Amino acid sequence: QAKLVESGGGSVQAGGSLRLSCAASGFTGTRHCMGWFRRTPGNEREAVAVIRSDGKISYADSVKGRFTISQDDDKITLYLQMDNLKPDDTAMYYCAALAFAPVEIYGGQCLAPGEYNYWGQGTQVTVSS
């Protein structure tokens, strides 16, 4: 079965860096969206950085200039390079994918958690001051 497994989280001081990885396996449908989301206690998951099937990348305003999303050419691994981390970045980070058989271009923006049908287990990022 298709699954996503995150790794790379941990504890770091403000100003430090972390690189998150998401290993994808078992996917047979077209990957229309791939993204990173984060959640803090009592809040909804929010998009951090996403890649659409057309290659368009979107970042949350709070991470622009500090985070970089990328993936390898065969889409096996998705990455999130996080630089100049701040205490407000502390959250559980999730890898997510929207995948299904049709090859037609997906019309959504890939920014809403409800658009995705596959989720990883999450990896904790804690940034201390």
Side-chain angles (χ1 to χ4, degrees):
Q1 299 296 322
K3 67 177 182 180
L4 302 169
V5 180
E6 302 98 333
S7 62
S11 298
V12 64
Q13 293 184 347
S17 298
L18 287 172
R19 187 194 191 201
L20 305 184
S21 298
C22 172
S25 62
F27 285 90
T28 58
T30 301
R31 219 87 59 79
H32 297 281
C33 309
M34 291 291 294
W36 289 97
F37 291 74
R38 67 186 182 187
R39 184 177 185 176
T40 54
N43 296 302
E44 299 287 336
R45 294 184 186 187
E46 63 174 348
V48 176
V50 304
I51 301 177
R52 293 186 59 182
S53 59
D54 62 3
K56 180 178 174 61
I57 296 174
S58 297
Y59 293 98
D61 288 342
S62 60
V63 307
K64 287 180 179 177
R66 300 188 297 118
F67 290 10
T68 304
I69 188 171
S70 63
Q71 63 186 138
D72 52 26
D73 290 340
D74 57 11
K75 298 185 178 181
I76 292 177
T77 307
L78 182 74
Y79 303 96
L80 184 67
Q81 178 66 43
M82 304 185 293
D83 296 319
N84 192 24
L85 283 160
K86 303 176 179 179
D88 284 349
D89 295 319
T90 295
M92 184 72 74
Y93 284 73
Y94 299 88
C95 176
L98 172 62
F100 51 90
V103 298
E104 290 80 6
I105 296 175
Y106 176 63
Q109 299 300 307
C110 302
L111 294 173
E115 295 181 73
Y116 292 76
N117 57 357
Y118 294 95
W119 293 86
Q121 82 287 352
T123 185
Q124 179 68 37
V125 171
T126 301
V127 184
S128 62
S129 60

